[in-house]
Amino acid sequence: MFYPELVKNIAATDKVLEIGPGASPHPRSDVFLELKLDSEEEYRKQFGQDKKLETDKEIVFYDGTKFPFADKQFDYVICSHVLEHVPDVEGFLSEIFRVSKKGYLEYPLITYEYLFNYDVHFNFLKWDGKKLFYKKKDTTHLNEFRPVQAFFLETLQKDYDTYFKKIPQFFIEGFEWNSPFDISKTDNLECFIVKDKTLPPLKIELANEYSFGELIKAMVKKITR
């Protein structure tokens, strides 16, 4: 989860479900819902890691369709970096709305997919404040850029991710919801672009007392190291 600070509306008495927690669940979660997978290889593909969840809390497995819970069994549901994996976005969200009163969603944006294009991610997603838009990745020409994306994916896997960490708001989105919201499938890529944020300039962090010569040396050192 990139934005734990956005998870604000969990009351002390709320029962919290977390879907697909990975190895680092939210500390407030009470129950975990995991997809039943066929093999260790499939687990690594889905979660991008070998490390498994270690917890004394209840873990419930399901087949990817109906959640094995009663209506409104939970007060809050956390679903971070799962929605991009599901084949049926609307069906999945209807199950979330059925079992919980409110919650938090987080997922990668189209910019993330354009660079890295994980095979196990099926959907472009974007929240406009009232409605969640989605589009299937395989309805675009994104896969034609696989050779380029392979390079960027390798940079991410080898921790060349400074730019990504500096401006996560252009690559990852998260929001809380307090009631069921509209979901809309669209072919309009404009719906998935971040438009409400300004890209900040990249500033080189240097001491104010540098002379001009020292400034140039420091800049060269910073660029070439």
Side-chain angles (χ1 to χ4, degrees), residues 110-117 148-150 152-153 163 171:
I110 194 172
T111 43
Y112 184 100
E113 297 297 345
Y114 188 84
L115 288 178
F116 309 121
N117 195 10
V148 179
Q149 293 156 351
F152 283 108
L153 183 57
Y163 71 100
F171 293 93

Side-chain angles (χ1 to χ4, degrees), residues 41-53:
E41 181 181 0
E42 185 62 25
Y43 181 92
R44 286 191 293 272
K45 284 182 180 179
Q46 290 291 334
F47 300 106
Q49 57 188 354
D50 295 319
K51 189 177 179 183
K52 288 189 174 182
L53 174 64

Side-chain angles (χ1 to χ4, degrees), residues 78-125:
I78 296 170
C79 182
S80 177
H81 295 266
V82 174
L83 195 55
E84 66 271 20
H85 293 259
V86 302
D88 180 6
V89 172
E90 295 188 33
F92 185 85
L93 285 170
S94 69
E95 281 296 283
I96 287 181
F97 298 152
R98 180 182 66 81
V99 303
S100 185
K101 303 171 184 176
K102 56 187 177 179
Y104 175 77
L105 286 170
E106 186 176 297
Y107 43 81
L109 292 168
I110 194 172
T111 43
Y112 184 100
E113 297 297 345
Y114 188 84
L115 288 178
F116 309 121
N117 195 10
Y118 278 92
D119 289 335
V120 293
H121 293 181
F122 301 143
N123 310 302
F124 295 140
L125 300 153

Side-chain angles (χ1 to χ4, degrees), residues 15-16 31 58 68-76 98-101:
K15 186 174 183 180
V16 180
V31 179
E58 181 182 5
F69 303 116
D71 293 357
K72 297 297 181 284
Q73 185 170 335
F74 298 93
D75 300 291
Y76 196 101
R98 180 182 66 81
V99 303
S100 185
K101 303 171 184 176

